[in-house]
Amino acid sequence: MEVSLEEFGTLDFDVKAWLNRQFAAQTNDDSAATDDARAQRLVTQLHFLATNAQQNSDRIKARFRHQAAQIGRDIAGLGKAVSATQAQLVGLTQAVDRQAASAPTMAAVVELGTAQRQLARTVEALGLQRSYTDLPQKVDGLVEACDFGRAWALVDGVAGAAGLDADEVHACRERIEAGVVGELGRAVAERDAEAAARMGQLLAAHGQAELVETEFVRVRAQIGVKALEGRYDDIGGLLHAALALITEERTFAEAAEMSDAVQEQLIERFADAMQTEIQRHVDRAENIGAVSVRGVYDALVGFCADAGLDTDESSALSVGAAHVQRVPLALHHLLEPLRECVERLGMAEADRIQGGSLGALRAVEYETGRAEAYVRDAAREMDCVFSDISETLDNLLVVVPAAMARRAAEDVLVAVSEASGVISAGIATLADSAGFDVSDLAAATELDTPIPDLTGAAFQPLANEDKLDAVSRSVALALLAEQLENHTATVVANVRHRLADMYSHPQSLIAAALNGQNEVSETMDLETADLDIEVPEISAVAAAQAVVFLLGGAFRAPLERIPASSVWHGAAARSSMGVTVPQFSCAPSEDAVEIGEKMHILLPELEQAVAMHAQCAPDAMPLYTFVLQHMSACDGDEDDSPLLAMLALVLQSVQRAFVRQVCCVEAPLSALGCRQLAADTEYIASVAASFGAMPDPDFAELLTSVLRDNAEASDISESPELELTELQRTLHALLIHSDN
């Protein structure tokens, strides 16, 4: 540890305390040394210090001895000048007495004036020499007495005089400056505004104005930071203490005539000191969730407003145009912990929802025959999920700045996809238990799509207990999908509205600080794409397809048998004598009858499914409305009831599948086969017409074709003026036969 000579000259110097400090410092520097070694080292340092001090003293004495001889010579010369002046005065007096105005007398007067000037210069030089010989002692005395003005005046008075040592004068100035700075520090520490202002004026007068603000900030920041140390139980306690401190410091700074820049620097120091404590509260809030983070955010926003950090006047430095404003450094210090939290808050909240309310929704299980209980429990948990999502977004879009808002909202909306996944998982379970594949739902109204195994519950009539349970489950999933869709629409609309509102207002300094910006503009460039929130894909369509698939499942078995039926190529019956038995009409085939019978019971089955739906959720959208909204509409009249429209949707899919299966029959049909196809087609058309359903366009084409006679069909097919569709060409190939 370095030993300083100035320490021994202070009034409160304590030998014992000084020795203890020296030994303690040496112990820290070299813990392995013995006490004797440390003492020997200290004695050696003191010996060198004493030797150096003695050498300095001898050098000063030698210089003074040299200057004393010069001073003696100056005094002797002064004595001679005085004697010569006295002699001249005597001669002048005699000349005056003689009243002689001769030229010699005038020359004597001139010589007298010259002598007087020489005497004045000599006296002045003697005074300067005397002042210089004890200048350091006088300066030290004045500094010790805190009479810094006189000390500086003394040094300024002798500065530049001939024969004075410039280094010595500079050293005196430094001692005065150190004394003034020390007194300024004391005044600032004790809140003595008058003394602080006086010391500041003195330093400014001698070109050291920057030291005033530097010392003021250093002392008050050190005291303020120490006052803010300690762990506060809540963020409010910390911010309340900091606000009280800032208010007091501003009042004192104004009384001490400090600039606004000094106040800004003080707040920056305090904010920097508060950062660790704020980080602790932010970390704790982040573990709780967005609600708690918003509490910290609101507290910080209130503090910044009360401290004047988020107003137009908070930035003393304008950049460029008037609408551009600098973000105070104090805001960056205060909000840095929150900024890091906000950047990951969306993902963190999505994870929290998945582990909370979404986990509860996934835990709800469907029990056979208890669709109503399943819908009740799952709907309750679904409400909880979206309550969490809405509450999270409400708090998130307050805290997150506009530039991050869209991404954060989409992070949270991932939970919607997860909720939809619960319905998708339910549909997958339904498909597995009912004997079909989920991929089959994409063609729910295409009843001729090949399915390897038609023995599952999905392809049985509704009277089958397993089929009834499958329809019940599909109805429950449709209800949940509808609820999910409604909640999603509300949440997304709210997010878009909030984003539009955020972009329509000027960006605050706090938002800019959270976004890591150093400057903020009063206007923001709004990109339309920023409002296009990506809506999570939900499973409502799949739920509607599952209902339709199950309702049409029973038709697949008879439809699949049509191409391989033997009736399409059969010959007319003959008697025992080999005579052809006339056959004037055909009855519908067994497959057509089965299709017709299933069409007859389709309406009661549909009504039963609608009743299940209404029983589970009386206030929900009717099942047929939900299905029609998510699937292709039928070609019925606009005045048809939604129930009949849904019935027509299934009936038309049956008719369309019948046509496609007929097109798979090997061409051509026999005459008997043509009559059989006409009978089957007319039968199915009549059953569908009994429900008021408009025929499918392809089925209508089939019906028209089977009613033509053989000759007419041949003429149409051979006519070069007619362009036939692929279906028409296929049907003509089937129906034109060679036998009568």
Side-chain angles (χ1 to χ4, degrees), residues 176-436:
I176 297 172
E177 184 179 297
V180 174
V181 172
E183 179 63 16
L184 174 63
R186 180 205 62 78
V188 171
E190 296 178 0
R191 294 186 180 275
D192 188 346
E194 183 179 352
R198 190 169 60 251
M199 294 301 102
Q201 294 169 358
L202 193 58
L203 285 170
H206 290 82
Q208 300 296 332
E210 69 278 0
L211 290 178
V212 180
E213 295 187 351
T214 301
E215 186 67 11
F216 187 93
V217 171
R218 184 190 69 79
V219 174
R220 294 314 310 170
Q222 186 177 22
I223 295 173
V225 168
K226 187 175 181 180
L228 290 174
E229 289 178 351
R231 299 179 69 83
Y232 293 84
D233 293 335
D234 59 273
I235 190 71
L238 170 65
L239 298 180
H240 178 76
L243 183 61
L245 176 64
I246 289 174
T247 303
E248 292 177 359
E249 294 302 331
R250 276 185 170 153
T251 303
F252 176 52
E254 291 172 357
E257 302 177 3
M258 294 294 114
S259 65
D260 292 341
V262 170
Q263 301 179 30
E264 188 172 355
Q265 291 178 43
L266 271 178
I267 297 177
E268 288 175 5
R269 297 283 188 88
F270 297 155
D272 188 36
M274 295 163 61
Q275 194 176 89
T276 302
E277 188 69 16
I278 293 174
Q279 182 70 63
R280 185 173 68 86
H281 289 289
V282 169
D283 291 343
R284 184 171 63 184
E286 188 177 5
N287 292 332
I288 298 175
V291 176
S292 186
V293 172
R294 180 176 177 179
V296 175
Y297 171 84
D298 289 341
L300 286 172
V301 169
F303 170 79
C304 292
D306 294 338
L309 294 175
D310 192 28
T311 63
D312 293 338
E313 294 78 21
S314 63
S315 177
L317 178 64
S318 61
V319 181
H323 65 279
V324 177
Q325 191 175 2
R326 179 177 66 88
V327 179
L329 184 59
L331 272 182
H332 285 290
H333 289 323
L334 288 170
L335 299 175
E336 180 63 24
L338 195 61
R339 185 176 71 85
E340 296 176 358
C341 167
V342 164
E343 288 179 349
R344 57 179 180 265
L345 189 57
M347 291 296 296
E349 285 301 286
D351 292 341
R352 185 183 63 81
I353 293 173
Q354 288 193 35
S357 53
L358 263 174
L361 175 61
R362 294 189 186 100
V364 179
E365 296 182 355
Y366 178 86
E367 296 181 11
T368 303
R370 294 183 56 82
E372 188 175 353
Y374 172 74
V375 170
R376 182 187 64 245
D377 296 341
R380 182 182 64 249
E381 299 302 335
M382 183 79 74
D383 287 339
C384 291
V385 169
F386 278 90
S387 177
D388 279 355
I389 292 174
S390 297
E391 184 179 13
T392 296
L393 288 172
D394 285 342
N395 291 289
L396 193 70
L397 295 180
V398 170
V399 177
V400 176
M404 302 181 188
R406 178 187 173 187
R407 186 187 67 186
E410 289 180 345
D411 288 342
V412 174
L413 289 178
V414 170
V416 176
S417 297
E418 296 295 331
S420 181
V422 173
I423 297 176
S424 298
I427 293 174
T429 302
L430 167 64
D432 184 63
S433 63
F436 65 93

Side-chain angles (χ1 to χ4, degrees), residues 653-669:
S653 66
V654 173
Q655 292 175 338
R656 188 164 53 252
F658 178 79
V659 173
R660 292 177 181 173
Q661 293 296 82
V662 167
C663 290
C664 294
V665 176
E666 183 180 357
L669 304 184

Side-chain angles (χ1 to χ4, degrees), residues 493-518:
N494 180 52
V495 169
R496 286 175 173 159
H497 173 75
R498 294 284 295 275
L499 283 178
D501 185 63
M502 291 173 71
Y503 279 109
S504 65
H505 290 82
Q507 188 181 22
S508 67
L509 292 178
I510 287 180
L514 284 174
N515 201 35
Q517 299 172 225
N518 294 322

